Amino acid sequence: MTSGRSLGFYLLLAPVLLWLALLVIIPHVDLALVSLRERVGVGQYALSPANYLTFLNEPLYLVTFARTAVMSILATIITLIIGFPVAYYIAKMARGKLQPILFVLCLVPFWVSELVRTFGWMILLRETGIISSLLQWLGLVSGPVELLYNDAAIMIGLVYTSMLFMVVPLVTTLSSLDDSLIEAGYDLGGSSASVFREIIVPHAMPGIVSGCIVVFMLSLGNYLTPIMLGGKDSLWFTELIYSQFIVRFNWELGAAFGFMLLFLSTAIVWTALKLSGQSLEKTMG
Amino acid sequence: MIPTIPQNRTMDIAFKVYVTLFFIYLALPLAVNAVFAFNDSQFPSLPWKGFTWNWFFGDAHPMIGVFHERPILRAIGTSIFIGVCVSTLAVIVGTTNAFLFNRYKFKGKEFLYFLMLLPLVIPGILLGISILVFSSSIANAVWDGFKWDIEALRPGVLLVVLGQFSFIATMATLVISARLKTFDKTLEEAAMNLGAGAFTAIRTVTLPYLLPAMIGAFIVAFLMSFENFNTTFMLVGSDAPLTIAMFDRLKEGSTPLLNAVSLLLMVGSSALALLMIAVQRKK
């Protein structure tokens, strides 16, 4: 409507510019500068890639980096596989009142904090926990079993924590799929498998991509779940960033780690978008 | 089931069993968490030692309930204060953004929209450390230049509010924009034809239409703020909000007190969520 540069326009432009400049862009530029400096004396710094070289030359850092990436990808795939049938059931098979009820039930666990959910899993999985007691009571094991503090526990926690962000976009895209298209697929002689592959999956693609991106980002950036459910040896990359910043007070190295994390997430999200032919505006906005 | 497609009974039953198992998986951690808030024992684990309200109302050692545990109550107060600040800011900026992106065409609009979405795909811990580094840079520069120590720029409530706002504002913008897009602009024009100024028309016609989305965005923002951990953790000072306070306790070993807090959180956030659904229904 208005294309002139009225006062109103600048008043509306100011908040978004202040927000993005002061809280997102300049802080990240500052963080980048910090990551590229090296302490050469008391209060004296020089521009150098030393922090990134430290990262590349220390196997522990690299292993943790790769491990975090691989486990996050795995968590994303598992979440998709578990969530897809549920989303399909809610969108296409549930009838009447059941549909909105199931949908809301999916959301319920995510109204409470991740800490509460993780704590719940600790009560279930630990040596004196419910599952261990149940197994003993059933006579399947002779003594208490420790199910906590391993990678499987981390995986259970990550999948649980991210499930909502997979199911919601999937339900949304699957609901918009016209039933008659599925019928037509069957009428034309398609089997269940080919209807699924040729009609349902291509239609659900935007939902699959946006669900996967969010779940991957949440897993990669997660701190609580790996710390609380994982064992002593199960390092997570965010843990390294935290320890450099808070425990060792080495902000330069911590900042470099931060950018490696950002680089990893951007690279994988970008690849996923390119491979599926989607764009960030379309999947998020 | 799509009615015209031949029913496959086994498939149907398999689906039902699977979906049931899925919901048990979703409910299990929350259910056990809630149940152990009432266990008359020092540990949130089996054996079951009988029912008690002490983890809520107990006032004697060793079973001090939530309502007599000062640090926890203070942490809840801090969380609510931060949540209200963040949500208010997010709704204001979300509303101005919605008008900006819906009503104006300008150079670089698409790029700005893209930038606006970015906080959603930046890991929370990065938003935390970048704001931490930037605010200390400013604080240090001011100290070097003027010998003023700006306490507010050191880790604490202000930084937590800014850190959470930096990504919650995106969410508020998306929610409010979605509602503004469905607004029939001729209503606003009608108001102006009837003699209202542009500002009055927006205030009396457009904003009431946006209200459900603004309330919805406020509640979602509050919940996101209340349960945020990653960003908050990097910016927190001496007065910790609830999630951080609970995390510190949990590291030292857990008592059913934490279950009681968890149960209160579940009740509180469910109530807020139901309120939000009620508000959305009314539109």
Side-chain angles (χ1 to χ4, degrees), chain B residues 229-272:
Chain B
F229 185 87
N230 293 344
T231 307
T232 311
F233 196 40
M234 303 305 300
L235 298 170
V236 76
S238 52
D239 33 4
L242 188 63
T243 39
I244 308 291
M246 282 178 75
F247 177 71
D248 289 339
R249 295 255 174 147
L250 207 47
K251 275 194 304 196
E252 292 161 13
S254 48
T255 67
L257 175 75
L258 292 176
N259 297 73
V261 179
S262 303
L263 182 58
L264 290 179
L265 279 179
M266 288 182 220
V267 172
S269 37
S270 305
L272 275 180

mmCIF file of all heavy atoms in Angstrom, chain B residues 229-272:
data_model
loop_
_atom_site.group_PDB
_atom_site.id
_atom_site.type_symbol
_atom_site.label_atom_id
_atom_site.label_comp_id
_atom_site.label_asym_id
_atom_site.label_seq_id
_atom_site.Cartn_x
_atom_site.Cartn_y
_atom_site.Cartn_z
ATOM 1 N N PHE B 229 16.868 -23.366 28.293
ATOM 2 C CA PHE B 229 18.046 -23.722 29.063
ATOM 3 C C PHE B 229 19.327 -23.262 28.379
ATOM 4 O O PHE B 229 20.142 -22.569 28.976
ATOM 5 C CB PHE B 229 18.089 -25.242 29.290
ATOM 6 C CG PHE B 229 19.212 -25.666 30.170
ATOM 7 C CD1 PHE B 229 19.064 -25.680 31.548
ATOM 8 C CD2 PHE B 229 20.438 -26.023 29.641
ATOM 9 C CE1 PHE B 229 20.109 -26.034 32.377
ATOM 10 C CE2 PHE B 229 21.489 -26.377 30.466
ATOM 11 C CZ PHE B 229 21.319 -26.386 31.835
ATOM 12 N N ASN B 230 19.487 -23.614 27.106
ATOM 13 C CA ASN B 230 20.775 -23.441 26.426
ATOM 14 C C ASN B 230 21.284 -22.004 26.430
ATOM 15 O O ASN B 230 22.444 -21.755 26.759
ATOM 16 C CB ASN B 230 20.683 -23.922 24.985
ATOM 17 C CG ASN B 230 20.492 -25.420 24.918
ATOM 18 O OD1 ASN B 230 20.727 -26.114 25.902
ATOM 19 N ND2 ASN B 230 20.056 -25.921 23.791
ATOM 20 N N THR B 231 20.425 -21.065 26.037
ATOM 21 C CA THR B 231 20.852 -19.671 25.974
ATOM 22 C C THR B 231 21.021 -19.109 27.387
ATOM 23 O O THR B 231 22.021 -18.457 27.694
ATOM 24 C CB THR B 231 19.816 -18.849 25.188
ATOM 25 O OG1 THR B 231 19.597 -19.488 23.935
ATOM 26 C CG2 THR B 231 20.302 -17.442 24.946
ATOM 27 N N THR B 232 20.039 -19.403 28.235
ATOM 28 C CA THR B 232 20.038 -18.896 29.603
ATOM 29 C C THR B 232 21.289 -19.317 30.368
ATOM 30 O O THR B 232 21.890 -18.534 31.095
ATOM 31 C CB THR B 232 18.791 -19.428 30.333
ATOM 32 O OG1 THR B 232 17.663 -19.184 29.513
ATOM 33 C CG2 THR B 232 18.603 -18.756 31.666
ATOM 34 N N PHE B 233 21.663 -20.581 30.173
ATOM 35 C CA PHE B 233 22.781 -21.163 30.902
ATOM 36 C C PHE B 233 24.071 -20.352 30.722
ATOM 37 O O PHE B 233 24.880 -20.237 31.636
ATOM 38 C CB PHE B 233 22.977 -22.591 30.390
ATOM 39 C CG PHE B 233 23.815 -23.462 31.276
ATOM 40 C CD1 PHE B 233 23.684 -23.408 32.651
ATOM 41 C CD2 PHE B 233 24.711 -24.364 30.729
ATOM 42 C CE1 PHE B 233 24.441 -24.231 33.471
ATOM 43 C CE2 PHE B 233 25.471 -25.184 31.543
ATOM 44 C CZ PHE B 233 25.332 -25.120 32.914
ATOM 45 N N MET B 234 24.268 -19.787 29.523
ATOM 46 C CA MET B 234 25.493 -19.044 29.255
ATOM 47 C C MET B 234 25.442 -17.627 29.818
ATOM 48 O O MET B 234 26.465 -16.976 29.939
ATOM 49 C CB MET B 234 25.759 -18.947 27.746
ATOM 50 C CG MET B 234 25.861 -20.258 27.016
ATOM 51 S SD MET B 234 27.086 -21.387 27.705
ATOM 52 C CE MET B 234 28.565 -20.420 27.542
ATOM 53 N N LEU B 235 24.259 -17.132 30.114
ATOM 54 C CA LEU B 235 24.123 -15.713 30.460
ATOM 55 C C LEU B 235 23.720 -15.488 31.904
ATOM 56 O O LEU B 235 23.603 -14.354 32.356
ATOM 57 C CB LEU B 235 23.078 -15.057 29.547
ATOM 58 C CG LEU B 235 23.421 -15.057 28.062
ATOM 59 C CD1 LEU B 235 22.234 -14.627 27.225
ATOM 60 C CD2 LEU B 235 24.605 -14.143 27.807
ATOM 61 N N VAL B 236 23.530 -16.579 32.636
ATOM 62 C CA VAL B 236 22.942 -16.456 33.958
ATOM 63 C C VAL B 236 23.954 -15.899 34.959
ATOM 64 O O VAL B 236 25.151 -16.153 34.862
ATOM 65 C CB VAL B 236 22.386 -17.827 34.396
ATOM 66 C CG1 VAL B 236 23.499 -18.758 34.826
ATOM 67 C CG2 VAL B 236 21.367 -17.669 35.495
ATOM 68 N N GLY B 237 23.451 -15.072 35.878
ATOM 69 C CA GLY B 237 24.303 -14.525 36.926
ATOM 70 C C GLY B 237 24.008 -15.199 38.248
ATOM 71 O O GLY B 237 23.807 -16.411 38.292
ATOM 72 N N SER B 238 23.943 -14.405 39.319
ATOM 73 C CA SER B 238 23.763 -15.003 40.638
ATOM 74 C C SER B 238 22.309 -15.404 40.890
ATOM 75 O O SER B 238 22.051 -16.366 41.590
ATOM 76 C CB SER B 238 24.230 -14.035 41.712
ATOM 77 O OG SER B 238 23.612 -12.787 41.510
ATOM 78 N N ASP B 239 21.347 -14.668 40.313
ATOM 79 C CA ASP B 239 19.956 -15.066 40.545
ATOM 80 C C ASP B 239 19.448 -15.931 39.395
ATOM 81 O O ASP B 239 19.055 -15.434 38.343
ATOM 82 C CB ASP B 239 19.030 -13.864 40.765
ATOM 83 C CG ASP B 239 19.488 -12.659 39.965
ATOM 84 O OD1 ASP B 239 20.463 -12.802 39.208
ATOM 85 O OD2 ASP B 239 18.859 -11.597 40.093
ATOM 86 N N ALA B 240 19.491 -17.240 39.632
ATOM 87 C CA ALA B 240 19.178 -18.196 38.577
ATOM 88 C C ALA B 240 17.687 -18.401 38.425
ATOM 89 O O ALA B 240 16.973 -18.476 39.424
ATOM 90 C CB ALA B 240 19.844 -19.526 38.893
ATOM 91 N N PRO B 241 17.196 -18.488 37.170
ATOM 92 C CA PRO B 241 15.801 -18.893 36.977
ATOM 93 C C PRO B 241 15.621 -20.383 37.275
ATOM 94 O O PRO B 241 16.602 -21.100 37.493
ATOM 95 C CB PRO B 241 15.540 -18.578 35.507
ATOM 96 C CG PRO B 241 16.872 -18.535 34.872
ATOM 97 C CD PRO B 241 17.857 -18.160 35.932
ATOM 98 N N LEU B 242 14.370 -20.829 37.262
ATOM 99 C CA LEU B 242 14.049 -22.162 37.772
ATOM 100 C C LEU B 242 14.792 -23.308 37.081
ATOM 101 O O LEU B 242 15.316 -24.200 37.749
ATOM 102 C CB LEU B 242 12.536 -22.392 37.689
ATOM 103 C CG LEU B 242 12.075 -23.673 38.365
ATOM 104 C CD1 LEU B 242 12.362 -23.657 39.842
ATOM 105 C CD2 LEU B 242 10.596 -23.889 38.138
ATOM 106 N N THR B 243 14.838 -23.293 35.729
ATOM 107 C CA THR B 243 15.479 -24.437 35.058
ATOM 108 C C THR B 243 16.932 -24.577 35.480
ATOM 109 O O THR B 243 17.418 -25.693 35.677
ATOM 110 C CB THR B 243 15.436 -24.295 33.523
ATOM 111 O OG1 THR B 243 15.674 -22.946 33.190
ATOM 112 C CG2 THR B 243 14.134 -24.763 32.957
ATOM 113 N N ILE B 244 17.628 -23.441 35.646
ATOM 114 C CA ILE B 244 19.036 -23.499 36.034
ATOM 115 C C ILE B 244 19.164 -23.967 37.482
ATOM 116 O O ILE B 244 20.005 -24.813 37.812
ATOM 117 C CB ILE B 244 19.707 -22.115 35.870
ATOM 118 C CG1 ILE B 244 19.461 -21.546 34.470
ATOM 119 C CG2 ILE B 244 21.182 -22.186 36.182
ATOM 120 C CD1 ILE B 244 20.152 -22.255 33.367
ATOM 121 N N ALA B 245 18.281 -23.450 38.360
ATOM 122 C CA ALA B 245 18.316 -23.848 39.760
ATOM 123 C C ALA B 245 18.062 -25.350 39.892
ATOM 124 O O ALA B 245 18.737 -26.047 40.656
ATOM 125 C CB ALA B 245 17.277 -23.060 40.556
ATOM 126 N N MET B 246 17.090 -25.866 39.096
ATOM 127 C CA MET B 246 16.797 -27.300 39.157
ATOM 128 C C MET B 246 17.957 -28.122 38.631
ATOM 129 O O MET B 246 18.285 -29.181 39.164
ATOM 130 C CB MET B 246 15.539 -27.612 38.345
ATOM 131 C CG MET B 246 14.249 -27.254 39.057
ATOM 132 S SD MET B 246 12.822 -27.606 38.019
ATOM 133 C CE MET B 246 12.729 -29.394 38.134
ATOM 134 N N PHE B 247 18.593 -27.620 37.581
ATOM 135 C CA PHE B 247 19.735 -28.323 37.001
ATOM 136 C C PHE B 247 20.856 -28.456 38.035
ATOM 137 O O PHE B 247 21.442 -29.530 38.201
ATOM 138 C CB PHE B 247 20.225 -27.561 35.763
ATOM 139 C CG PHE B 247 21.449 -28.156 35.126
ATOM 140 C CD1 PHE B 247 21.379 -29.355 34.454
ATOM 141 C CD2 PHE B 247 22.672 -27.492 35.199
ATOM 142 C CE1 PHE B 247 22.512 -29.895 33.860
ATOM 143 C CE2 PHE B 247 23.802 -28.023 34.603
ATOM 144 C CZ PHE B 247 23.721 -29.227 33.929
ATOM 145 N N ASP B 248 21.129 -27.361 38.770
ATOM 146 C CA ASP B 248 22.180 -27.405 39.787
ATOM 147 C C ASP B 248 21.844 -28.422 40.867
ATOM 148 O O ASP B 248 22.707 -29.161 41.333
ATOM 149 C CB ASP B 248 22.367 -26.014 40.406
ATOM 150 C CG ASP B 248 23.010 -25.057 39.416
ATOM 151 O OD1 ASP B 248 23.647 -25.542 38.466
ATOM 152 O OD2 ASP B 248 22.864 -23.828 39.581
ATOM 153 N N ARG B 249 20.576 -28.467 41.265
ATOM 154 C CA ARG B 249 20.156 -29.443 42.277
ATOM 155 C C ARG B 249 20.310 -30.868 41.771
ATOM 156 O O ARG B 249 20.753 -31.756 42.482
ATOM 157 C CB ARG B 249 18.679 -29.251 42.614
ATOM 158 C CG ARG B 249 18.375 -27.967 43.244
ATOM 159 C CD ARG B 249 18.138 -28.203 44.697
ATOM 160 N NE ARG B 249 17.986 -26.946 45.370
ATOM 161 C CZ ARG B 249 17.196 -26.773 46.423
ATOM 162 N NH1 ARG B 249 16.519 -27.798 46.897
ATOM 163 N NH2 ARG B 249 17.110 -25.610 47.009
ATOM 164 N N LEU B 250 19.898 -31.047 40.519
ATOM 165 C CA LEU B 250 19.883 -32.383 39.939
ATOM 166 C C LEU B 250 21.303 -32.942 39.863
ATOM 167 O O LEU B 250 21.527 -34.145 40.013
ATOM 168 C CB LEU B 250 19.254 -32.305 38.547
ATOM 169 C CG LEU B 250 18.556 -33.541 38.012
ATOM 170 C CD1 LEU B 250 17.644 -34.145 39.040
ATOM 171 C CD2 LEU B 250 17.764 -33.183 36.772
ATOM 172 N N LYS B 251 22.283 -32.067 39.641
ATOM 173 C CA LYS B 251 23.671 -32.521 39.565
ATOM 174 C C LYS B 251 24.144 -33.026 40.919
ATOM 175 O O LYS B 251 24.970 -33.925 41.000
ATOM 176 C CB LYS B 251 24.580 -31.370 39.104
ATOM 177 C CG LYS B 251 24.609 -31.248 37.594
ATOM 178 C CD LYS B 251 25.750 -30.366 37.127
ATOM 179 C CE LYS B 251 25.705 -29.003 37.765
ATOM 180 N NZ LYS B 251 26.536 -28.005 37.088
ATOM 181 N N GLU B 252 23.596 -32.435 41.999
ATOM 182 C CA GLU B 252 24.016 -32.845 43.338
ATOM 183 C C GLU B 252 23.294 -34.097 43.799
ATOM 184 O O GLU B 252 23.591 -34.630 44.857
ATOM 185 C CB GLU B 252 23.732 -31.723 44.346
ATOM 186 C CG GLU B 252 24.592 -30.500 44.133
ATOM 187 C CD GLU B 252 23.992 -29.277 44.801
ATOM 188 O OE1 GLU B 252 23.057 -29.429 45.611
ATOM 189 O OE2 GLU B 252 24.455 -28.171 44.492
ATOM 190 N N GLY B 253 22.308 -34.548 43.055
ATOM 191 C CA GLY B 253 21.516 -35.692 43.481
ATOM 192 C C GLY B 253 20.103 -35.223 43.702
ATOM 193 O O GLY B 253 19.872 -34.108 44.137
ATOM 194 N N SER B 254 19.167 -36.097 43.373
ATOM 195 C CA SER B 254 17.790 -35.635 43.341
ATOM 196 C C SER B 254 16.998 -36.122 44.542
ATOM 197 O O SER B 254 17.221 -37.211 45.038
ATOM 198 C CB SER B 254 17.133 -36.128 42.060
ATOM 199 O OG SER B 254 17.415 -37.499 41.891
ATOM 200 N N THR B 255 16.074 -35.304 44.992
ATOM 201 C CA THR B 255 15.088 -35.721 45.982
ATOM 202 C C THR B 255 13.716 -35.513 45.343
ATOM 203 O O THR B 255 13.605 -34.807 44.338
ATOM 204 C CB THR B 255 15.159 -34.881 47.270
ATOM 205 O OG1 THR B 255 14.755 -33.551 46.963
ATOM 206 C CG2 THR B 255 16.553 -34.871 47.858
ATOM 207 N N PRO B 256 12.668 -36.127 45.935
ATOM 208 C CA PRO B 256 11.323 -35.938 45.363
ATOM 209 C C PRO B 256 10.883 -34.484 45.334
ATOM 210 O O PRO B 256 9.887 -34.151 44.704
ATOM 211 C CB PRO B 256 10.429 -36.781 46.273
ATOM 212 C CG PRO B 256 11.329 -37.842 46.776
ATOM 213 C CD PRO B 256 12.652 -37.171 46.978
ATOM 214 N N LEU B 257 11.635 -33.590 46.004
ATOM 215 C CA LEU B 257 11.322 -32.167 45.906
ATOM 216 C C LEU B 257 11.293 -31.736 44.448
ATOM 217 O O LEU B 257 10.418 -30.983 44.014
ATOM 218 C CB LEU B 257 12.376 -31.349 46.662
ATOM 219 C CG LEU B 257 12.228 -29.841 46.527
ATOM 220 C CD1 LEU B 257 11.082 -29.341 47.375
ATOM 221 C CD2 LEU B 257 13.505 -29.124 46.902
ATOM 222 N N LEU B 258 12.263 -32.248 43.672
ATOM 223 C CA LEU B 258 12.330 -31.888 42.259
ATOM 224 C C LEU B 258 11.124 -32.432 41.499
ATOM 225 O O LEU B 258 10.651 -31.804 40.549
ATOM 226 C CB LEU B 258 13.625 -32.403 41.634
ATOM 227 C CG LEU B 258 14.890 -31.719 42.143
ATOM 228 C CD1 LEU B 258 16.120 -32.360 41.535
ATOM 229 C CD2 LEU B 258 14.862 -30.237 41.815
ATOM 230 N N ASN B 259 10.637 -33.611 41.923
ATOM 231 C CA ASN B 259 9.427 -34.139 41.299
ATOM 232 C C ASN B 259 8.242 -33.236 41.570
ATOM 233 O O ASN B 259 7.414 -33.002 40.698
ATOM 234 C CB ASN B 259 9.113 -35.538 41.831
ATOM 235 C CG ASN B 259 10.194 -36.522 41.482
ATOM 236 O OD1 ASN B 259 11.284 -36.476 42.058
ATOM 237 N ND2 ASN B 259 9.918 -37.379 40.535
ATOM 238 N N ALA B 260 8.203 -32.724 42.817
ATOM 239 C CA ALA B 260 7.096 -31.842 43.178
ATOM 240 C C ALA B 260 7.149 -30.573 42.328
ATOM 241 O O ALA B 260 6.128 -30.130 41.797
ATOM 242 C CB ALA B 260 7.161 -31.506 44.661
ATOM 243 N N VAL B 261 8.352 -29.994 42.154
ATOM 244 C CA VAL B 261 8.488 -28.811 41.309
ATOM 245 C C VAL B 261 8.062 -29.154 39.881
ATOM 246 O O VAL B 261 7.325 -28.398 39.234
ATOM 247 C CB VAL B 261 9.944 -28.293 41.307
ATOM 248 C CG1 VAL B 261 10.070 -27.077 40.412
ATOM 249 C CG2 VAL B 261 10.400 -27.960 42.705
ATOM 250 N N SER B 262 8.505 -30.326 39.392
ATOM 251 C CA SER B 262 8.150 -30.748 38.035
ATOM 252 C C SER B 262 6.643 -30.826 37.860
ATOM 253 O O SER B 262 6.097 -30.370 36.847
ATOM 254 C CB SER B 262 8.743 -32.119 37.711
ATOM 255 O OG SER B 262 10.129 -32.092 37.873
ATOM 256 N N LEU B 263 5.973 -31.427 38.877
ATOM 257 C CA LEU B 263 4.524 -31.573 38.774
ATOM 258 C C LEU B 263 3.852 -30.198 38.714
ATOM 259 O O LEU B 263 2.948 -29.970 37.907
ATOM 260 C CB LEU B 263 3.996 -32.391 39.961
ATOM 261 C CG LEU B 263 2.491 -32.666 39.936
ATOM 262 C CD1 LEU B 263 2.102 -33.399 38.662
ATOM 263 C CD2 LEU B 263 2.063 -33.484 41.146
ATOM 264 N N LEU B 264 4.342 -29.273 39.559
ATOM 265 C CA LEU B 264 3.779 -27.921 39.529
ATOM 266 C C LEU B 264 3.987 -27.291 38.153
ATOM 267 O O LEU B 264 3.102 -26.618 37.615
ATOM 268 C CB LEU B 264 4.424 -27.050 40.606
ATOM 269 C CG LEU B 264 4.065 -27.393 42.052
ATOM 270 C CD1 LEU B 264 4.802 -26.461 43.002
ATOM 271 C CD2 LEU B 264 2.566 -27.279 42.274
ATOM 272 N N LEU B 265 5.169 -27.507 37.568
ATOM 273 C CA LEU B 265 5.451 -26.971 36.241
ATOM 274 C C LEU B 265 4.490 -27.537 35.208
ATOM 275 O O LEU B 265 3.976 -26.827 34.349
ATOM 276 C CB LEU B 265 6.874 -27.315 35.815
ATOM 277 C CG LEU B 265 7.986 -26.439 36.350
ATOM 278 C CD1 LEU B 265 9.325 -26.943 35.847
ATOM 279 C CD2 LEU B 265 7.766 -25.009 35.894
ATOM 280 N N MET B 266 4.260 -28.863 35.302
ATOM 281 C CA MET B 266 3.348 -29.497 34.344
ATOM 282 C C MET B 266 1.960 -28.892 34.459
ATOM 283 O O MET B 266 1.336 -28.557 33.451
ATOM 284 C CB MET B 266 3.247 -31.003 34.619
ATOM 285 C CG MET B 266 4.474 -31.792 34.244
ATOM 286 S SD MET B 266 4.164 -33.530 34.583
ATOM 287 C CE MET B 266 5.725 -34.031 35.256
ATOM 288 N N VAL B 267 1.488 -28.744 35.709
ATOM 289 C CA VAL B 267 0.152 -28.185 35.913
ATOM 290 C C VAL B 267 0.100 -26.753 35.394
ATOM 291 O O VAL B 267 -0.805 -26.376 34.637
ATOM 292 C CB VAL B 267 -0.232 -28.237 37.414
ATOM 293 C CG1 VAL B 267 -1.528 -27.485 37.660
ATOM 294 C CG2 VAL B 267 -0.354 -29.680 37.875
ATOM 295 N N GLY B 268 1.118 -25.972 35.755
ATOM 296 C CA GLY B 268 1.146 -24.575 35.339
ATOM 297 C C GLY B 268 1.174 -24.423 33.835
ATOM 298 O O GLY B 268 0.382 -23.661 33.254
ATOM 299 N N SER B 269 2.051 -25.171 33.160
ATOM 300 C CA SER B 269 2.146 -24.955 31.718
ATOM 301 C C SER B 269 0.947 -25.534 30.982
ATOM 302 O O SER B 269 0.525 -24.985 29.961
ATOM 303 C CB SER B 269 3.460 -25.480 31.153
ATOM 304 O OG SER B 269 3.843 -26.645 31.776
ATOM 305 N N SER B 270 0.354 -26.620 31.518
ATOM 306 C CA SER B 270 -0.871 -27.127 30.884
ATOM 307 C C SER B 270 -1.981 -26.099 30.983
ATOM 308 O O SER B 270 -2.735 -25.885 30.029
ATOM 309 C CB SER B 270 -1.342 -28.417 31.546
ATOM 310 O OG SER B 270 -0.330 -29.370 31.541
ATOM 311 N N ALA B 271 -2.074 -25.447 32.161
ATOM 312 C CA ALA B 271 -3.117 -24.432 32.334
ATOM 313 C C ALA B 271 -2.926 -23.307 31.320
ATOM 314 O O ALA B 271 -3.875 -22.870 30.666
ATOM 315 C CB ALA B 271 -3.077 -23.882 33.759
ATOM 316 N N LEU B 272 -1.675 -22.860 31.159
ATOM 317 C CA LEU B 272 -1.395 -21.803 30.186
ATOM 318 C C LEU B 272 -1.744 -22.247 28.770
ATOM 319 O O LEU B 272 -2.322 -21.490 27.986
ATOM 320 C CB LEU B 272 0.084 -21.416 30.231
ATOM 321 C CG LEU B 272 0.490 -20.389 31.262
ATOM 322 C CD1 LEU B 272 1.971 -20.129 31.182
ATOM 323 C CD2 LEU B 272 -0.284 -19.098 31.040
#
